Amino acid sequence: MTNAPSADGRFAPSAAFAAKAHVTADQYQAMYDASIQDPARFWAEHGKRIDWIKPFTKVKSTSFAPGNIDIKWFEDGTLNVSANCIDRHLETRGDQTAIIWEPDDPKDAAQHITYKELHRRTCRMANILETLGVRRGDRVVIYLPMIPEAAYAMLACARIGAVHSIVFAGFSPDALGARINGCDAKVVITADHAPRGGRSTPLKSNTDAALLHCKDSVKCLVVRRTGGQTTWVDGRDYDYNEMAMEADDYSAPAEMGAEDPLFILYTSGSTGQPKGVVHTSGGYLTYAAMTHQYTFDYHDGDIFWCTADVGWVTGHSYIVYGPLANGATTIMFEGVPTYPDAGRFWEVCQKHKVNQFYTAPTALRALMAHGNAPVEKYDLSSIKVLGTVGEPINPEAWNWYNDVIGKGKCPIVDTWWQTETGGHLLTPLPGAIATKPGSATLPFFGVQPVILDPQSGEEITTTAAEGVLCIKDSWPGQMRTVYGDHERFEKTYFADYKNYYFTGDGCRRDEDGYYWITGRVDDVINVSGHRMGTAEVESALVAHVDVAEAAVVGYPHAIKGQGIYAYVTLMNGVEPSEELRKELVKWVRSEIGPIASPDLIQWAPGLPKTRSGKIMRRILRKIAENDHTTLGDISTLADPSVVDHLIEHRMNKA
Ligand code: WT7
C-alpha cells in the first residue's frame, strides 16, 4: 500500500504518482501564491486554456462591495463554449470517443460517441432549436434522462447562444412548471420516458402536466428514449428523432461575450422558492476545465467518470463542460449504483477502464452496506484517482473507498464546492497535497477562504479557527447573479458578512491550515448530497388541505447523511393516522419530487414558538436528533409545555 497514513495521520501521494502529476507540492504552493498575489496575471495565463474568438484584454473586474456586487471575468473576450468543447478537438481527436454512454440496463450496449459524432449531433440539435424559434439569449429548459441527447442539448444551446436550464428528471411536474415559468423558457426538451434502476419515469406526461401551468407558446421537443406511450399535442409537441433526420449537420457557433449567460440552474436556499443561479461563459469554462484537469490530475487519453446527473451542477461542470473542454472521454451513466446489483459501478469501471472516478459519500455508504463481495468481482486496476463531493465524508466511508476501491494506492480528492461556485474551491490536488480523511484540505488556485466569527463577523486570523466559511475575493467560476433578481443575489450571499461571499457552511481550520466543512449553518439540509430548503418542504406540506402548519429540520441519517424530519400540525378536526402520514409523503413527492420526501413525520399539536411567533428551530433540531436533554434555554417560549409533548412523541429514538 502506498496511500497509507504517515505518522501525522496524513495520506501523502506516492512518489510515483507525484512524479507524473500536473502539480506537485512545491508547484502547488508557488502557483497558489502567484494566484493570490497577482490574480489578473495568473488568470490571464490560465484564460488561455480555452480558445477565444476575440482575446480578452481585461481579466478581472469584480466587486463584493455592498450595493455594488459586480463580477466580470475576461469581459471583453468573445468565445463559443460549444466550439471549445467540440470543434477545437476535431482536427486532433475527431475519432476519439468524447462520450461513453452507459445505459440503465447493463444488457443494453454502451454507446461510444466520437468528437465528430458529437459535433454532428450537437449541430443538428442546434438547428432544430432554431427551427423552433430559439434565438440568442432565449431560455431552454432541459428535462431529460441521462442520455447523450442531454449533452447535445446543452452544447446546442451554447452553440447558438441560448441559455439552458436543466431540471433534474426526478423533479415533479409542479417543480418543472415553476422553473419553466421562472426563466420564461421558449422550449422544453424532454423524453418519452426515463428508465432508471429498472423503473421508468414518464417524463413526457410529467411535462404535459407542467405545461398546463405555462404559457401556450412554450414548445416541447420530445426525444424518443424507450418508445413508450405518450400523448401528443399538435402544434406544441415536436418529435426530435424525426427532426434530427432532416436537420443540417452544420451550425455555425455564435460569437458570444465572456459574460453572456451560459446556463441557469435552480437551487434551494434557506428561504423562499429555489433561485436561478446564473453562470456565464468565459470564466465558468476556464474554471471548469482547469479544476477538471488539476483536481483529478486528468491526462490526455484518460477515461473520466463522474457519476452525478446533469441535473446538478456536478454534472454540468464534470460530466460535460470541464471534461469536454479538455478533450477527455467522459462517461455518462443513466442508471443507479445498486441496479441490477451493488456491483454496477465497479462493473462499469472495469468495462470502460475508468481512470478517475468521482462520486458522492451517500453512494459509498449505500454500497458499503453490501459488503466487499460485489467489488471484488471486478478489476479496478485502471483507477488512478478517486473523488467525492456533496457532503463531508465520514471516516468509515473514506477508509472503505481508500482500501476496498482504491486498494490503498489511489489518492482521494474530497472536493468542496457549490452550485454557486461553478467548480471546486477547496480540494486536494492528488499529486500535491497529503490528505486527511474528512477534510477538503486546501484552497484551489485563486481561492481565498476565510473563517469568520459568526457573531462579530470578524475574520479569525489564527491558523486553527472555527466559524462560518466565506470567500474573500472572486474566482472565474463564481455565479454572477440570481436570474432576474440581483437584489436577492446580494441579500443571500453578501449581506450577512460585508465584502465577503458567504457560503452558508460552517467550517473548522486545523493547525495545519486544513479546512473541515462542518455543515450548513442556514436552514438548508443536505440529503444524499443534494441541497433541500426546509422552507420549500414546509410550503409543500402546508399546501395540503389537512395541514395547518409545518416545520422541517434535518437529522442524522446513516445513508443519506441527513434525513428530512417534519413536524406537522393538522387542521382542527383532522385526526392523525398512518394513512395520512403516507398521504403527506406522497403529496410532497408530487409537489417537489422524491428527493424531498420526509423520512419522519411527527404530529405536533403545537410548535415551540417565541412570544413574537417565531418557530424555535434549534429546539426542533435537537428533538429530531434525539438529543433533547440539552435543549438550552426554553424560557422565551410562548408555551414551554409543547416541548414536553414533542419530546415524548419524538420519531427518532435511535
Ligand atoms: C453544499 C452545496 C457542488 C456539488 C454538490 C452539491 C455541501 C458539497 C462538500 C464536501 C462537505 C460539501 C456544502 C455545500 N458540500 N461538497 N466535499 N464536503 N460538504 O452542490 O447542491 O450546491 O450544495 O453541499 O454544504 O454548501 P449544492
Side-chain angles (χ1 to χ4, degrees):
M1 281 207 196
T2 47
N3 199 19
S6 58
D8 67 356
R10 295 192 218 192
F11 290 73
S14 69
F17 188 98
K20 289 194 208 145
H22 288 297
V23 181
T24 60
D26 294 346
Q27 286 166 333
Y28 167 76
Q29 202 54 54
M31 285 172 75
Y32 182 76
D33 292 347
S35 75
I36 303 306
Q37 275 150 21
D38 194 347
R41 185 165 166 184
F42 180 86
W43 289 108
E45 196 50 41
H46 283 282
K48 289 185 194 148
R49 62 177 55 240
I50 62 175
D51 284 356
W52 298 87
I53 299 170
K54 182 162 112 0
F56 54 85
T57 65
K58 295 188 188 149
V59 178
K60 181 177 187 285
S61 331
T62 66
S63 158
F64 287 3
N68 179 35
I69 308 301
D70 190 19
I71 299 155
K72 295 192 187 87
W73 285 88
F74 312 117
E75 62 181 296
D76 60 347
T78 65
L79 77 164
N80 183 277
V81 168
S82 155
N84 267 284
C85 291
I86 312 174
D87 305 41
R88 67 164 170 163
H89 306 310
L90 290 178
E91 205 174 306
T92 49
R93 51 176 105 241
D95 294 316
Q96 180 202 303
T97 300
I99 298 175
I100 298 175
W101 179 63
E102 175 67 29
D104 186 51
D105 187 338
K107 294 199 284 299
D108 295 338
Q111 275 178 31
H112 294 252
I113 297 138
T114 63
Y115 273 94
K116 271 187 195 153
E117 184 68 12
L118 179 62
H119 183 256
R120 198 159 36 234
R121 296 284 168 185
T122 299
C123 285
R124 288 186 185 187
M125 181 73 89
N127 288 320
I128 292 169
L129 291 176
E130 286 193 321
T131 307
L132 297 185
V134 178
R135 300 287 173 266
R136 174 190 281 259
D138 289 344
R139 274 80 53 214
V140 173
V141 163
I142 299 173
Y143 183 62
L144 284 173
M146 282 287 287
I147 53 177
E149 286 77 6
Y152 308 156
M154 295 164 78
L155 294 163
C157 287
R159 203 160 183 91
I160 62 177
V163 181
H164 61 71
S165 182
I166 306 190
V167 177
F168 174 57
F171 277 121
S172 69
D174 281 357
L176 173 63
R179 285 155 177 77
I180 294 170
N181 291 333
C183 71
D184 194 16
K186 259 198 173 164
V187 170
V188 51
I189 307 178
T190 191
D192 45 11
H193 296 265
R196 200 157 174 262
R199 282 184 292 203
S200 191
T201 308
L203 291 188
K204 173 61 165 66
S205 68
N206 282 358
T207 308
D208 290 338
L211 287 173
L212 291 176
H213 307 287
C214 303
K215 288 198 299 203
D216 288 340
S217 58
V218 182
K219 293 185 169 124
C220 180
L221 182 64
V222 187
V223 177
R224 205 174 305 144
R225 168 62 186 93
T226 63
Q229 219 189 339
T230 56
T231 48
W232 209 257
V233 178
D234 283 324
R236 184 197 72 182
D237 296 345
Y238 292 81
D239 184 323
Y240 164 80
N241 298 71
E242 263 176 29
M243 293 179 83
M245 285 194 291
E246 308 288 315
D248 200 272
D249 272 350
Y250 185 73
S251 152
E255 180 172 358
M256 305 303 294
E259 284 301 338
D260 282 334
L262 177 64
F263 66 85
I264 301 167
L265 187 55
Y266 282 85
T267 191
S268 299
S270 51
T271 55
Q273 289 304 307
K275 49 189 174 290
V277 167
V278 175
H279 281 288
T280 58
S281 303
Y284 170 80
L285 192 66
T286 303
Y287 201 74
M290 183 168 166
T291 47
H292 171 257
Q293 183 193 16
Y294 287 154
T295 301
F296 300 108
D297 196 44
Y298 164 79
H299 290 264
D300 240 8
D302 284 346
I303 311 287
F304 180 81
W305 185 16
C306 163
T307 69
D309 191 287
V310 291
W312 312 111
V313 74
T314 311
H316 285 64
S317 299
Y318 301 111
I319 296 175
V320 178
Y321 289 117
L324 295 178
N326 289 334
T329 298
T330 181
I331 296 185
M332 206 172 174
F333 174 48
E334 191 183 34
V336 297
T338 48
Y339 176 79
D341 58 53
R344 186 68 193 278
F345 271 0
W346 323 121
E347 183 235 350
V348 174
C349 283
Q350 169 182 290
K351 178 158 133 195
H352 299 301
K353 301 197 168 51
V354 168
N355 299 116
Q356 291 92 7
F357 178 77
Y358 189 32
T359 197
T362 184
L364 297 174
R365 287 192 297 267
L367 294 175
M368 250 169 86
H370 294 265
N372 299 352
V375 185
E376 283 157 3
K377 286 204 268 191
Y378 301 101
D379 174 7
L380 301 181
S381 60
S382 59
I383 300 178
K384 298 189 283 189
V385 175
L386 296 169
T388 75
V389 59
E391 55 177 313
I393 183 166
N394 49 308
E396 299 74 28
W398 196 97
N399 286 323
W400 188 76
Y401 207 22
N402 185 49
D403 300 340
V404 179
I405 308 303
K407 321 289 179 203
K409 61 183 176 49
C410 301
I412 296 177
V413 290
D414 177 349
T415 63
W416 175 86
W417 59 299
Q418 310 177 295
T419 306
E420 293 87 341
T421 71
H424 310 143
L425 291 198
L426 296 175
T427 180
L429 302 188
I433 298 168
T435 59
K436 301 185 189 187
S439 169
T441 73
L442 299 173
F444 193 76
F445 304 127
V447 175
Q448 295 186 61
V450 291
I451 294 190
L452 305 188
D453 178 299
Q455 263 73 49
S456 68
E458 294 293 318
E459 213 175 303
I460 308 177
T461 52
T462 47
T463 306
E466 182 153 3
V468 296
L469 179 64
C470 289
I471 314 290
K472 207 171 183 166
D473 198 359
S474 184
W475 62 98
Q478 185 171 23
M479 76 182 281
R480 302 301 197 251
T481 192
V482 169
Y483 185 74
D485 196 350
H486 198 66
E487 223 178 283
R488 190 171 176 197
F489 180 51
E490 171 153 8
K491 234 175 112 195
T492 309
Y493 304 103
F494 300 95
D496 291 355
Y497 305 101
K498 302 272 183 285
N499 301 302
Y500 296 101
Y501 166 77
F502 172 47
T503 65
D505 279 326
C507 186
R508 180 170 73 81
R509 186 167 56 213
D510 70 17
E511 50 296 338
D512 296 317
Y514 278 40
Y515 291 85
W516 301 73
I517 302 295
T518 53
R520 303 284 307 192
V521 295
D522 52 11
D523 290 319
V524 169
I525 50 187
N526 190 325
V527 185
S528 301
H530 297 306
R531 202 196 301 194
M532 205 65 242
T534 51
E536 259 175 276
V537 184
E538 287 163 6
S539 77
L541 283 166
V542 297
H544 189 281
V545 287
D546 292 338
V547 176
E549 198 169 23
V552 169
V553 296
Y555 73 100
H557 186 286
I559 301 290
K560 299 179 179 183
Q562 276 189 302
I564 299 180
Y565 193 117
Y567 296 88
V568 170
T569 308
L570 295 171
M571 290 290 191
N572 263 339
V574 178
E575 286 302 315
S577 68
E578 269 323 295
E579 283 69 56
L580 184 53
R581 201 175 255 139
K582 285 192 195 121
E583 156 80 20
L584 290 182
V585 171
K586 222 174 109 194
W587 172 260
V588 173
R589 291 169 73 95
S590 74
E591 288 279 297
I592 305 174
I595 55 166
S597 305
D599 295 280
L600 296 172
I601 295 179
Q602 175 169 3
W603 306 120
L607 291 168
K609 289 184 188 165
T610 60
R611 283 182 204 103
S612 60
K614 195 171 172 326
I615 295 175
M616 301 266 290
R617 287 167 179 286
R618 178 177 57 83
I619 293 173
L620 294 177
R621 267 187 226 115
K622 288 270 186 189
I623 297 173
E625 287 163 9
N626 200 19
D627 180 20
H628 51 278
T629 49
T630 55
L631 287 184
D633 183 13
I634 59 168
S635 62
T636 55
L637 288 179
D639 175 10
S641 72
V642 299
V643 173
D644 295 329
H645 183 278
L646 292 179
I647 291 174
E648 190 185 337
H649 297 278
R650 69 191 184 280
M651 299 297 292
N652 175 20
K653 296 196 172 159

